[in-house]
Amino acid sequence: MSNAVETGKIVESVAGAYAKHCQEKLSGYLEALYLFGSHAFGKTSQDIPDINYLLLLKEGVPPDVFLDNAGILRQVCHEFSDVATVLPEFRPNRYVYPVIKGGDLDITLCTQYARMEDRHGPVPFGWGWVLEALLQTRKLVFGRDALAEVRQPPPSRDYIRTFFPATFSHIWLPLERAPFQYRLPEESRLLMHEAHKVAQMAAIGFGVPLALSDEELAQKKWLEFVSNKDALVAFYEHRYDAATAGKVALMLRVRERWRELRNDPDTALEMYRAAVGLCSRLKAKYVEFAHA
């Protein structure tokens, strides 16, 4: 059996185990459980696989739902520790230190929460236009498709001008504070992982929309990069500058060569500096955008 096939089987097993435990223990709290992102449409990276779930919570859930989900995550980490290190995340707000370390394969298990009572208003769930990527790639695992009732306002320039600072702060603020969380250089792999994910979210969800025209925004052109990351470098060279494109190229190179590079402290620091630099460039681009 090839490494790619074996990796795929393990990733599917982790995803299936988490969903099964959620249905058994959390279904009373959930409107629905969704998969979204690359794993939902069959493009999971073999080097740095991640599984993205959205737990759409019913209105007025008790705190027990968060305690129970933490228990499920620990259970999944233990179940697969012989073959993988499962890294739970609450991306982008919190990257969790992997207290349960297992096999050589790293699998990110990202579990997002969204409360039904927060679906109203101009920024449903507080996500802004990035919610559209989830709506476009979601795959219902169980429950009712309540997201079908949610309407994300179109990402016009006025909409982005109003909501970009608050929405983007969830991306860059945790990253600037990340180095203290990890012992360096021993745990530089964890810092690199966080920096890489932040750079990917920033580059696609925030940097691309800032550089699009009104017509391109209306056509939702930025969503094309969700599934076609290879086009990002040329986009940044054309719409930004060579230095910013180089940071995006590093993010893609780390993604493609994760198993080779993940234990290199120098690459970790390079990735971290690139991610912070990318976020700083996007904040500067927003100032230009807001005054255009």
Side-chain angles (χ1 to χ4, degrees):
M1 185 179 293
S2 71
N3 287 338
V5 172
E6 182 62 27
T7 296
K9 287 174 67 68
I10 295 171
V11 172
E12 287 294 339
S13 295
V14 170
Y18 177 76
K20 176 176 178 289
H21 294 318
C22 281
Q23 189 151 26
E24 291 171 349
K25 299 176 182 178
L26 299 182
S27 58
Y29 300 127
L30 301 180
E31 290 285 350
L33 179 71
Y34 294 95
L35 270 171
F36 68 97
S38 57
H39 185 71
F41 52 82
K43 292 193 174 182
T44 308
S45 168
Q46 295 301 307
D47 260 15
I48 184 169
D50 59 0
I51 307 163
N52 297 287
Y53 277 108
L54 174 71
L55 288 79
L56 185 57
L57 306 176
K58 294 180 178 179
E59 294 196 27
V61 295
D64 300 77
V65 66
F66 308 113
L67 295 169
D68 291 348
N69 188 45
I72 290 171
L73 290 170
R74 291 189 189 95
Q75 184 175 353
V76 172
C77 290
H78 281 298
E79 282 180 19
F80 293 91
S81 60
D82 288 346
V83 293
T85 295
V86 178
L87 303 167
E89 289 179 359
F90 298 92
R91 189 189 312 158
N93 305 96
R94 185 172 178 82
Y95 286 76
V96 180
Y97 188 89
V99 293
I100 302 167
K101 298 180 182 180
D104 189 55
L105 174 64
D106 294 335
I107 301 175
T108 305
L109 183 56
C110 180
T111 58
Q112 299 267 25
Y113 297 125
R115 293 171 176 257
M116 282 293 286
E117 59 262 38
D118 297 331
R119 69 190 184 279
H120 304 294
V123 190
F125 307 120
W127 290 16
W129 59 93
V130 294
L131 175 64
E132 186 68 24
L134 187 151
L135 294 175
Q136 293 288 335
T137 65
R138 75 187 190 277
K139 179 180 178 182
L140 183 65
V141 179
F142 66 79
R144 73 179 189 91
D145 188 11
L147 281 182
E149 305 164 7
V150 176
R151 293 292 176 265
Q152 167 58 41
S156 65
R157 293 179 73 83
D158 285 342
Y159 184 88
I160 294 173
R161 187 178 289 113
T162 300
F163 297 112
F164 182 92
T167 307
F168 190 48
S169 67
H170 292 294
I171 302 293
W172 63 265
L173 275 173
L175 181 66
E176 291 185 351
R177 291 147 177 78
F180 185 70
Q181 183 174 354
Y182 310 117
R183 292 174 298 174
L184 301 178
E186 300 96 317
E187 296 173 340
S188 56
R189 165 181 175 181
L190 303 176
L191 179 65
M192 182 160 71
H193 189 275
E194 179 169 347
H196 172 263
K197 292 300 181 183
V198 168
Q200 182 171 295
M201 288 185 289
I204 299 172
F206 292 88
V208 172
L210 281 179
L212 295 178
S213 66
D214 289 320
E215 182 179 1
E216 289 170 325
L217 285 170
Q219 295 169 349
K220 301 181 180 180
K221 286 287 186 181
W222 73 275
L223 289 172
E224 296 176 7
F225 294 91
V226 173
S227 57
N228 185 18
K229 296 178 180 65
D230 293 339
L232 277 172
V233 175
F235 179 90
Y236 272 85
E237 286 176 344
H238 179 63
R239 306 283 179 117
Y240 284 81
D241 51 69
T244 307
K247 294 176 176 63
V248 174
L250 175 63
M251 178 268 289
L252 293 174
R253 186 164 71 252
V254 167
R255 182 175 186 267
E256 292 166 359
R257 298 168 56 193
W258 175 256
R259 295 192 194 187
E260 172 190 348
L261 298 172
R262 63 185 176 180
N263 292 317
D264 180 6
D266 292 336
T267 302
L269 292 177
E270 185 184 8
M271 184 69 256
Y272 179 77
R273 292 186 178 108
V276 173
L278 177 61
C279 289
S280 297
R281 179 67 181 92
L282 298 191
K283 286 189 282 183
K285 181 71 170 178
Y286 170 74
V287 174
E288 301 169 17
F289 178 96
H291 292 91

